[in-house]
Amino acid sequence: MHPEHLVRDHTVYACVMGSRAFGLATEGSDTDRRGVFLAPTPLFWRFEKPPTHVEGPAEEQFSWELERFCELALRADPNILECLHSPLVEHADDTGRELLALRGAFLSRRVHETFTRYAYGQRRRLEADVRAHGAPRWKHAVHLLRLLASARDVLRTGTLTIDVGEERETLLAVKRGEVAWSEVRARMTRLEREAGEAARSSPLPAEPDRRRVEDFLVRTRRASALRAG
């Protein structure tokens, strides 16, 4: 089966991500689409396995096979967890709705490590840009501020919210280069510290509910096999 057919015919969940989901869209912003497809179980019985992800077929579209998506979500991958919490859901069948109902099973205090590790790498790149060019790539600085705030808030509350809400204008000012790098850097340092403090008393469990997610995956695979006869 061609990869684009897997996306076209077997998508269980699809959403909009990027600036539109974050509440940071402006005129001319791209529409980034992300999705999850369920490869029919009989495809796994062959030597050549289905792809773990597919880019396209539309522009700015990327999809993961369900098992790979769940695997990454259990590792607290920031991009995957945020995809599960997009406010802009375009499609969800019965399997997709069950996946959304499992959002809490993927969340754990691991988000502190994965979100801040990703942020550390991004911050190093921004500082390299400042040394080389006198200024960071402001769009990337906004993304880092937003990510650190999400990490802090999910650790504080146990709920992941990706729309920036009232912070929209503040972050757009950073994107336009209207805020000094020294101030932006100080905000990053403060958010990192607050995330660390939140992690120590977070209502989130230490580990995700792997057994619950695996039960969902096994049932879904079995149902797919039965449909195939």
Side-chain angles (χ1 to χ4, degrees):
M1 183 175 290
H2 294 295
E4 60 268 25
H5 293 168
L6 289 170
V7 174
R8 184 192 67 194
D9 300 333
H10 299 284
T11 290
V12 299
Y13 171 67
C15 67
V16 173
M17 284 300 297
S19 60
R20 297 192 183 280
F22 302 144
L24 291 169
T26 57
E27 187 176 350
S29 291
D30 293 332
T31 300
D32 300 319
R33 288 186 164 86
R34 299 293 179 265
V36 182
F37 63 91
L38 174 64
T41 300
L43 294 182
F44 290 91
W45 300 338
R46 304 173 181 178
F47 287 121
E48 184 178 355
K49 307 301 181 187
T52 58
H53 59 270
V54 175
E55 187 169 355
E59 291 186 11
E60 308 297 337
Q61 182 181 14
F62 192 95
S63 301
W64 295 267
E65 206 284 322
L66 179 64
E67 182 174 343
R68 178 60 172 167
F69 186 86
C70 290
E71 182 180 52
L72 292 172
L74 286 169
R75 296 180 190 175
D77 180 287
N79 292 320
I80 301 295
L81 291 180
E82 289 189 333
C83 182
L84 267 177
H85 291 79
S86 172
L88 303 177
V89 176
E90 293 191 317
H91 170 75
D93 65 7
D94 289 344
T95 301
R97 286 189 288 272
E98 188 170 359
L99 176 65
L100 289 175
L102 279 171
R103 285 184 293 194
F106 294 106
L107 291 177
S108 70
R109 290 198 294 273
R110 286 187 180 186
V111 299
H112 180 242
E113 177 188 356
T114 57
F115 277 56
T116 55
R117 184 174 64 226
Y118 179 83
Y120 176 72
Q122 288 295 103
R123 184 166 177 173
R124 288 185 63 186
R125 294 185 185 93
L126 290 170
E127 291 173 341
D129 286 340
V130 173
R131 290 192 297 270
H133 308 293
R137 285 173 285 186
W138 293 111
K139 180 179 179 179
H140 293 183
V142 168
H143 175 59
L144 182 48
L145 287 169
R146 184 199 61 75
L147 186 73
L148 286 169
S150 289
R152 177 200 61 190
D153 293 345
V154 69
L155 287 163
R156 282 177 174 176
T157 67
T159 301
L160 179 59
T161 301
I162 69 172
D163 189 302
V164 300
E166 296 178 355
E167 291 297 310
R168 171 182 163 84
E169 294 306 321
T170 300
L171 291 172
L172 289 179
V174 173
K175 186 177 180 179
R176 293 191 295 265
E178 297 171 358
V179 183
W181 169 243
S182 59
E183 183 178 339
V184 173
R185 185 174 54 192
R187 288 187 200 176
M188 292 175 180
T189 300
R190 174 176 56 80
L191 287 168
E192 289 170 354
R193 182 183 68 253
E194 290 173 351
E197 292 168 352
R200 289 191 284 274
S201 58
S202 177
L204 291 175
E207 298 292 332
D209 194 341
R210 184 181 180 90
R211 179 176 296 180
R212 185 178 166 201
V213 174
E214 189 168 54
D215 175 68
F216 159 69
L217 180 63
V218 170
R219 286 187 290 102
T220 302
R221 288 272 191 253
R222 182 180 294 118
S224 174
L226 291 172
R227 284 193 299 270

